[in-house]
Amino acid sequence: MSDAMQTQQRIVVVGGGVAGIEIATSLARRGRDWPGAASVTLIDSDVAHVWKPMLHTIAAGTRDISQQQTTFLAQAREAGFSYQPGELWGVDRSRREVLLAEVRSADGRVLVPARRAAYDALVIAVGSQANDFRTPGVASHCFKIDSRVQADAFNRELRIRVLQSFAHGKPLSIAIVGGGATGVELAAELVQLVDVAEGYGAKGLAARISIHLIEAGPRLLAAFPQDISVATSARLQSLGVKVMLGTQVKAANAEGLVLDSGVLPAALRVWAAGVKAPNFLAEMDGLETNHNNQLLVLPTLQTTKDPAIYAVGDCAALTLPDAERPLPPTAQVAHQQAQYLVRNLRRQLNGEKVTDFTYRDFGALVSLADYDAFGSLGKFGIFKGGTIRGRLAQFSHIMLYRSHQARIHGFWRGGLLWLVDRLNARLRAPIRLD
């Protein structure tokens, strides 16, 4: 074995979300120019990446999953990293190995056995999921859209229910729990789905479908300025969405939701409230976590108990100096942390001192399908602290996604993907009809 191969550093990234795929892609591309380049391996339980802020459009069927996903094998070949399918279930810190569960097919056959993967640096970027707060019945009777697979599963059931409603002339009630960005944007996309479906001949469908958006707090979009919350609520209600604020969900069952004010019948129930990291992180060989299962990290994004293990994005809890609480679990935070590691991980592996991570709040955007959009401008820029609405906000929301595509595919290829999307919008149905 050559000296270069013996000294090659092994970087393992677990999780192919916003942060994970950007880190694996950028480090692998940079590694091509490094003598004795590090090997980069991406591990994910799924086979493809979808930008998480777009999952609600996949769930509603207003975007085609096949057009918006990036398969890990294809990305690995293009960027130069290795991809391994599997779900993380443990870490052996003494041996510096990750433990991966076996991969099974839908009928239970073992496709890939349980195995281990060695690392010199381990980056955990497994994202987050909705937090049902152990509400009775939610796990069994509510859909979640935290992943590509979950969003697609909801869409399959949605299309069946919508077809039944149209064919038999029966009402269809959809209840969404959670008034954050996911719940708000999903409600608007469902309205658009129904509007477009009527244009394809499903006359009277809008009158039979009701959409409830349920929020336990006093307003929607609690992380946004008050004026955006009020305007969003008013716009959704003008579209026919029934917004229920200050409403607690006590339980879920096959017929609907049990609220503190009574029972709400709902044939389809989506839980989009609360955020927590996956449960298995709380049992990761002594690593420190908070009450939301997030790994506690230092300003260098290294975990507090092991400098060889890093955590980024929604699964990491970083409280910056002079801050009262950890950074929010947003795509913006995940992207900035990913770029920090891309710049500094190689230096950290070589024992060099690096500056601490700093976060810039550029605001937040929420899109109500093609009907409207709102944005807060954050604490940086010329118009810091301001808000935007309408076409400018919609364009800004689009550019967030296109920027992500450019980072993982490159500028020119990302631009071609945008062009293909625009052509498909002209040539194909705007909703999923299969």
Side-chain angles (χ1 to χ4, degrees), residues 54-324:
M54 184 178 282
L55 288 176
H56 63 281
T57 65
I58 305 297
T62 52
R63 289 289 187 104
D64 190 334
I65 187 172
S66 63
Q67 295 180 45
Q68 305 307 326
Q69 66 186 12
T70 298
T71 58
F72 291 127
L73 276 175
Q75 184 68 10
R77 179 180 181 276
E78 189 278 329
F81 61 84
S82 299
Y83 161 68
Q84 286 195 36
E87 182 177 1
L88 178 69
W89 67 270
V91 173
D92 186 337
R93 291 168 51 204
S94 63
R95 299 178 61 175
R96 290 197 175 183
E97 292 179 337
V98 293
L99 286 63
L100 303 179
E102 61 187 13
V103 178
R104 291 180 174 269
S105 64
D107 59 7
R109 286 176 292 174
V110 176
L111 302 178
V112 183
R115 61 209 185 281
R116 291 169 174 252
Y119 66 85
D120 294 299
L122 172 62
V123 181
I124 300 178
V126 293
S128 63
Q129 58 194 39
N131 189 351
D132 62 18
F133 307 102
R134 298 184 179 179
T135 305
V138 170
S140 302
H141 300 291
C142 291
F143 285 92
K144 295 180 181 179
I145 54 172
D146 299 316
S147 68
R148 183 189 74 99
V149 173
Q150 290 179 345
D152 192 41
F154 173 75
N155 180 253
R156 288 196 302 269
E157 184 65 21
L158 173 66
R159 283 180 285 136
I160 291 171
R161 297 299 184 109
V162 169
L163 179 60
Q164 289 175 334
S165 176
F166 172 66
H168 302 292
K170 295 182 178 179
L172 172 60
S173 177
I174 304 171
I176 304 167
V177 182
T182 299
V184 164
E185 293 183 327
L186 177 61
E189 294 291 338
L190 290 173
V191 172
Q192 181 166 316
L193 168 72
V194 174
D195 283 350
V196 175
E198 285 209 327
Y200 277 88
K203 301 299 183 183
L205 185 63
R208 290 192 291 273
I209 294 183
S210 60
I211 302 169
H212 292 79
L213 180 59
I214 303 160
E215 167 57 38
R219 65 186 179 100
L220 301 178
L221 302 174
F224 285 71
Q226 176 77 25
D227 58 335
I228 290 181
S229 297
V230 173
T232 299
S233 181
R235 189 70 179 100
L236 286 175
Q237 291 183 77
S238 73
L239 294 173
V241 177
K242 299 173 177 62
V243 178
M244 304 173 67
L245 301 177
T247 303
Q248 292 279 350
V249 176
K250 301 295 185 182
N253 54 46
E255 284 71 46
L257 301 174
V258 180
L259 310 178
D260 49 6
S261 57
V263 177
L264 175 67
L268 285 175
R269 303 155 297 280
V270 182
W271 191 274
V275 176
K276 69 173 183 177
N279 293 332
F280 63 78
L281 291 181
E283 302 175 355
M284 292 289 285
D285 199 7
L287 298 180
E288 283 189 297
T289 57
N290 63 12
H291 66 284
N292 285 327
N293 302 328
Q294 294 171 303
L295 293 166
L296 303 187
V297 297
L298 303 172
T300 55
L301 303 186
Q302 293 164 299
T303 54
T304 55
K305 295 297 184 180
D306 193 330
I309 300 179
Y310 301 75
V312 296
D314 293 3
C315 69
L318 172 61
T319 303
L320 295 175
D322 302 324
E324 297 181 357

Side-chain angles (χ1 to χ4, degrees), residues 223-225 227-228 332 359-365 374-389 392-393 396:
F224 285 71
D227 58 335
I228 290 181
Q332 179 182 181
Y359 171 62
R360 290 192 171 190
D361 180 4
F362 292 108
L365 294 160
F374 303 89
S376 62
L377 299 182
K379 299 178 181 179
F380 291 88
I382 300 175
F383 303 104
K384 58 184 179 182
T387 59
I388 56 176
R389 178 177 182 174
L392 177 58
S396 300

